[in-house]
């Protein structure tokens, strides 16, 4: 069992590291608990980031390292471990890790992130498969693409890509969209978008780079040539460790919180992609981290 931190930040992605920067500036005694003990988050895997203000064209690895280096230079302690369970106590929280360690803190910021839900078909690991049209769409300007997903994310991705690509094919695995009817109507009226209902993607084709998608519809197999495939079939928040705290999560496992990061659990704040919110981007993650750390510091002042 460790000493008691003022603040323990769960997750070392953009939200968690931004929270660390603000915690350091507030002179808190804090640490970041990160699965690999390194930090940087999912953005580190992006080939290029074109929508982070002031740094157009930076690679995800470079941007993640910038966050990490700034946090470390301010004295951030990064602990290696995965949060497995969190217990609320009178004086704060105890965080148990999958590795069998325990950490105590007066306040916790949950910046646990969310991972894209995979389709579970062959070829998803190829270059040309993306989970973020806003992030990667510009790479496919002037090229045909396929979008998979009939929820709000899939429809918005298809509309966004229709402004960049000559042909967008949206695969709807059922008959009815789950997205907002007004956006579906706009999509259906967009000339360069083709909607294929009751169409199941079976395999993403190509050697190293995507060349198409093999599909099946009503027992009939087909192939759609394309340069990129955008998967929008949902995300999975990494919040299993929080399930013991009542009222904190919605039915999908996302953390319910205010813009300040405050949750229904006193002393627990949320930041980043694990929050219930309409947009999940690196820019919104860093804003969340700043808000949560500022709120956490203010909360600690009330407890002195």
């Amino acid at each position: 069992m460790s000493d008691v931190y003022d603040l323990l930040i769960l997750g070392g992605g953009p939200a968690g590291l931004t929270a660390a920067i603000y915690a350091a500036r507030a002179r808190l005694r804090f640490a970041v608990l990160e699965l690999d003990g390194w930090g940087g988050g999912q953005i580190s895997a992006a080939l290029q980031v074109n929508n982070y203000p002031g740094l157009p064209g930076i690679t995800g690895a470079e941007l993640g390292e910038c966050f990490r280096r700034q946090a470390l230079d301010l004295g951030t302690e990064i602990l290696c471990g995965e949060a497995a369970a969190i217990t609320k106590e009178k004086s704060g929280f105890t965080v148990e890790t999958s590795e069998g360690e325990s950490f105590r803190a007066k306040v916790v910021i949950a910046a646990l992130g969310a991972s894209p839900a995979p389709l579970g078909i062959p070829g998803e690991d190829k270059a040309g498969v993306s989970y973020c049209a806003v992030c990667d769409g510009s790479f496919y300007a002037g090229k045909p693409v396929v979008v998979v997903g009939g929820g709000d994310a899939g429809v918005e991705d298809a509309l966004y890509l229709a402004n960049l690509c000559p042909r967008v094919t949206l695969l709807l695995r059922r008959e009815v969209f789950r997205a907002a009817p007004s956006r579906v109507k706009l999509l259906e009226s967009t000339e360069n978008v083709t909607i294929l209902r009751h169409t199941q993607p079976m395999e993403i084709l190509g050697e190293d780079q995507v060349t198409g998608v093999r599909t099946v519809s009503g027992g009939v197999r087909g192939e759609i040539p394309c340069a990129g495939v955008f998967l929008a079939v949902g995300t999975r928040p990494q919040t299993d460790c929080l399930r013991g705290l009542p009222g904190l999560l919605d039915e999908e496992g996302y953390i319910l919180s205010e813009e300040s990061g405050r949750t229904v659990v006193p002393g627990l704040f949320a930041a980043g992609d694990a929050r219930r919110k309409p947009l999940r981007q690196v820019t919104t993650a860093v804003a969340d981290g700043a808000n949560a750390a500022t709120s956490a510091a203010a909360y600690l002042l009330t407890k002195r």
Side-chain angles (χ1 to χ4, degrees):
M1 182 73 74
S2 66
D3 294 334
V4 180
Y5 292 102
D6 290 331
L7 167 65
L8 186 62
I9 301 167
L10 307 181
L17 292 179
T18 301
I21 291 168
Y22 276 74
R25 291 166 61 86
R27 299 184 181 278
L28 302 181
R29 183 172 183 269
F30 73 98
V32 174
L33 181 64
E34 167 60 28
L35 178 60
D36 61 8
W38 183 258
Q42 289 186 53
I43 193 65
S44 298
L47 295 177
Q48 197 173 59
V49 181
N50 283 311
N51 56 351
Y52 192 78
L55 296 172
I58 191 171
T59 69
E62 290 171 333
L63 185 58
E65 178 58 19
C66 286
F67 293 144
R68 178 179 173 275
R69 178 48 53 194
Q70 184 173 354
L72 289 175
D73 287 347
L74 289 170
T76 297
E77 178 185 4
I78 299 182
L79 308 169
C80 182
E82 177 184 27
I86 300 176
T87 304
K88 179 74 171 76
E89 299 166 347
K90 184 176 181 180
S91 59
F93 299 86
T94 294
V95 177
E96 305 283 345
T97 73
S98 299
E99 296 76 19
E101 293 188 271
S102 296
F103 299 98
R104 294 187 297 159
K106 299 173 185 175
V107 172
V108 166
I109 293 176
L112 294 157
S115 58
L119 281 172
I121 63 174
E124 284 186 87
D125 57 346
K126 288 182 174 64
V129 177
S130 172
Y131 294 89
C132 180
V134 175
C135 306
D136 299 330
S138 60
F139 299 128
Y140 302 92
K143 302 174 182 178
V145 297
V146 167
V147 176
V148 182
D152 288 321
V155 169
E156 293 301 328
D157 282 359
L159 288 169
Y160 179 85
L161 291 163
N163 291 318
L164 301 172
C165 305
R167 186 175 75 254
V168 178
T169 303
L170 186 142
L171 304 185
L172 186 60
R173 294 176 290 174
R174 60 192 75 188
E175 173 65 26
V176 180
F177 281 93
R178 291 176 288 108
S182 61
R183 303 303 285 170
V184 173
K185 184 175 181 181
L186 178 59
L187 184 72
E188 291 174 334
S189 66
T190 302
E191 291 186 358
N192 62 329
V193 174
T194 299
I195 300 169
L196 299 180
R197 288 176 164 82
H198 295 293
T199 302
Q200 182 75 33
M202 303 301 294
E203 182 180 0
I204 298 173
L205 305 173
E207 291 297 327
D208 298 315
Q209 179 72 38
V210 168
T211 60
V213 179
R214 182 170 290 135
T215 64
V216 64
S217 178
V220 178
R221 296 184 178 273
E223 289 186 11
I224 304 170
C226 64
V229 178
F230 291 83
L231 304 182
V233 294
T235 57
R236 296 174 179 172
Q238 307 300 302
T239 56
D240 285 351
C241 62
L242 301 175
R243 293 192 178 277
L245 300 172
L248 182 63
L249 306 179
D250 69 7
E251 65 280 0
E252 295 181 79
Y254 287 99
I255 305 170
L256 300 170
S257 69
E258 302 172 3
E259 285 300 308
S260 65
R262 190 180 301 274
T263 72
V264 296
V265 179
L268 179 66
F269 299 83
D273 287 0
R275 281 185 63 223
R276 167 59 67 190
K277 58 180 182 176
L279 182 64
R280 293 182 175 86
Q281 296 278 284
V282 64
T283 47
T284 62
V286 298
D288 283 352
N291 278 325
T294 301
S295 298
Y299 176 85
L300 285 166
L301 286 176
T302 69
K303 300 301 176 182
R304 289 181 179 174

